[in-house]
Amino acid sequence: MTARGGPGLPQERRLVTAIPGPRSVELLTRRTDAVARGVSIAFPVFIEAAGGGVVVDVDGNSLIDFGSGIAVVSIGNAADQVVAAVSEQVAAFTHTCFMVTPYEGYVAVCEQLNSRTPGEFAKKSALFNSGAEAVENSVKIARAFTGRAAVVVFDHAYHGRTNLTMALTAKNMPYKQSFGPFAPEVYRLPMAYPYRWPTGPENCGSEAAAAAISAMKTQIGVDNIAAVLIEPIQGEGGFIVPGKGFLPALSQFCTDNGIVFIADEIQTGFGRTGAMFASSDEGVVPDLITTAKGIAGGLPLAGVTGRAEIMDAPHVGGLGGTYGGNPVACAAALGAIETIEQQDLVGAARRIGEIMLPALRDLQSRHPVIGDVRGRGAMVAVELVKPGTKDADPAAASAVAAFCHREGVLVLTAGTYGNVLRFLPPLVMPEHLLEEALTVLDKAFASLGG
Ligand code: PLZ
């Protein structure tokens, strides 16, 4: 029988076998034989259905989902409006290629992006398949607009796995090792990382901005810089919320010097941080914004949105791709955006933060391995260190994640040093499951001992 997911699934943590159970173990063996080992696995169970705040595995275990497929199913898996919109579209037509014969859904998604992203000016959008593809295209567009080549990125940044986006991504292992040479004209500057800023978090934003601006002037040359590209809260790099003032100062410097300021909101966008877009937290209005993940309820779709004159810089035919803005993915996006609005999931993300951040700070007061608690809305994390120091403790992060997994809570790790546990619940996560997962987390930290 086909498993049915969606919001109607019982919202409960239910363990009926060991994790992984026997059917998952069987499938894991087939996976090992059939799938290239480079494609890794965070939580070794196979999924049969998912919805609301849970994923159900092939052995009948119901697990609390604190990952959302890496910040994708913010509206919940198999959400009603996505299922309905996709079903209708798939029965009508599945593909024409927007560059061959267009269809309304693509235009409607662009209109939504143009009106919902920060900035009260004329905007345009273009659609792609993945976050990395959106980031690459944002750089192409910025280069075409400015006639300049250099791109500025930051320590701990993550922007994708294609050749250009590997160059833009900071961390070597596992993303870049043995895959070079990388694209040129990429310059990496220090990140405003409050927890690890040498003179303290209160000085971080302004000092980091001054350092970045000085490096742009002296080492790169302002007139050579096409774009400054940054995640308003860094995702894979460890949920680093930049020190206050950093983003506004960079954005202002870009405006003053004809540099395109690009916010990579692929992980932070569509309500995740308790605002539709994280840039708006400090009133920053990017010239271009990249989106993906939360935009389409799990279907592959990504976008670049921004000032019309910048978006229109590339020549006719200069942007595109066979599948970019596929009609089924566009239908899903329209359903997802409607769901975010109708269910006030931006407000739901804020409430998740209001529950989780104090709860995690309480854990921090009892478990000295937690060096830092940070994040906004439903994008929160703890950074684990050797107690009494700031030395990264990736082993503790792995141990806590493994404990949670055995107890039926899906959590993910992150961070340049692999020592961050990150929490990305669907924004529809019921409060009782949020509380239950936090209790499991407390036990997981207690199990570390010492
Ligand atoms: N920019 C800010 O978070 C994707 C990567 C998972 P794609 N993050 C998850 C992995 O290990 O591959 C991401 C992101 C930010 C760009 C991307 C890239 O998006 O859709 O994975 O290409």
Side-chain angles (χ1 to χ4, degrees):
M1 214 190 81
T2 323
R4 285 279 169 191
L9 275 181
Q11 295 297 298
E12 62 183 11
R13 180 171 65 111
R14 181 181 73 237
L15 294 175
V16 296
T17 70
I19 300 286
R23 286 221 53 219
S24 277
V25 169
E26 240 177 81
L27 287 164
L28 284 164
T29 308
R30 274 174 59 196
R31 180 192 190 282
T32 305
D33 290 343
V35 180
R37 68 172 185 156
V39 184
S40 64
I41 180 166
F43 188 162
V45 297
F46 275 70
I47 298 307
E48 187 164 78
V54 300
V55 295
V56 179
D57 75 8
V58 290
D59 292 289
N61 299 297
S62 173
L63 316 162
I64 301 176
D65 183 9
F66 263 25
S68 299
I70 322 191
V72 172
V73 286
S74 300
I75 60 168
N77 228 304
D80 291 338
Q81 274 150 307
V82 168
V83 172
V86 163
S87 307
E88 197 174 314
Q89 180 59 48
V90 93
F93 64 96
T94 47
H95 174 80
T96 64
C97 185
F98 189 74
M99 304 183 305
V100 177
T101 48
Y103 38 86
E104 185 177 347
Y106 187 116
V107 178
V109 171
C110 291
E111 287 167 349
Q112 289 289 338
L113 284 166
N114 298 345
S115 66
R116 288 176 192 275
T117 45
E120 300 300 317
F121 39 75
K123 284 180 231 152
K124 291 196 177 186
S125 293
L127 303 181
F128 305 96
N129 302 292
S130 67
E133 216 188 325
V135 172
E136 286 232 24
N137 277 280
S138 73
V139 171
K140 284 162 64 171
I141 293 164
R143 284 179 172 160
F145 178 71
T146 56
R148 306 170 178 176
V151 182
V152 168
V153 290
F154 295 87
D155 286 337
H156 312 289
Y158 184 90
H159 298 292
R161 293 177 182 265
T162 58
N163 187 267
L164 175 58
T165 58
M166 275 192 293
L168 302 170
T169 289
K171 191 175 176 178
N172 179 51
M173 234 3 212
Y175 308 120
K176 300 162 77 162
Q177 176 63 37
S178 75
F179 298 145
F182 302 112
E185 285 306 315
V186 173
Y187 298 86
R188 189 170 311 285
L189 302 183
M191 176 63 188
Y193 187 167
Y195 178 60
R196 294 187 179 278
W197 194 255
T199 60
E202 63 285 0
N203 303 318
C204 174
S206 57
E207 289 183 10
I213 288 167
S214 163
M216 284 191 261
K217 288 179 178 164
T218 59
Q219 296 177 27
I220 311 169
V222 170
D223 294 343
N224 299 319
I225 305 174
V228 168
L229 167 66
I230 190 163
E231 303 153 84
I233 296 179
Q234 290 183 318
E236 305 305 302
F239 285 24
I240 300 165
V241 183
K244 283 279 172 227
F246 186 62
L247 295 175
L250 288 180
S251 159
Q252 187 61 51
F253 182 76
C254 288
T255 303
D256 294 344
N257 291 283
I259 300 167
V260 179
F261 184 77
I262 309 174
D264 180 346
E265 294 244 20
I266 284 164
Q267 191 151 164
T268 51
F270 287 94
R272 175 55 55 187
T273 68
M276 196 61 175
F277 291 96
S279 307
S280 58
D281 182 64
E282 285 187 88
V284 169
V285 179
D287 298 310
L288 297 182
I289 292 186
T290 57
T291 52
K293 292 187 182 284
I295 190 177
L299 275 85
L301 186 70
V304 182
T305 300
R307 292 182 186 274
E309 66 276 18
I310 302 178
M311 289 300 296
D312 275 340
H315 52 277
V316 174
L319 303 175
T322 305
Y323 294 113
N326 167 273
V328 182
C330 286
L334 295 171
I337 294 166
E338 206 172 283
T339 306
I340 293 172
E341 185 136 296
Q342 283 174 3
Q343 300 184 14
D344 184 23
L345 294 183
V346 178
R350 267 196 303 274
R351 277 191 295 284
I352 288 172
E354 283 159 14
I355 294 171
M356 289 200 69
L357 284 165
L360 294 172
R361 287 194 190 106
D362 173 60
L363 287 187
Q364 182 182 28
S365 71
R366 287 182 285 111
H367 303 292
V369 71
I370 303 179
D372 194 27
V373 174
R374 57 183 181 244
R376 272 207 310 271
M379 183 171 183
V380 295
V382 293
E383 175 161 356
L384 306 191
V385 293
K386 305 262 163 55
T389 75
K390 287 190 178 178
D391 298 345
D393 193 345
S398 304
V400 171
F403 183 101
C404 289
H405 293 176
R406 283 194 301 276
E407 292 296 317
V409 179
L410 193 173
V411 296
L412 300 171
T413 57
T416 299
Y417 318 111
N419 65 328
V420 174
L421 277 167
R422 57 169 156 172
F423 311 113
L424 290 163
L427 309 183
V428 294
M429 176 66 73
E431 202 169 315
H432 74 276
L433 289 185
L434 207 57
E435 301 287 356
E436 193 170 333
L438 285 163
T439 308
V440 171
L441 201 56
D442 195 4
K443 286 191 190 133
F445 279 107
S447 79
L448 290 176

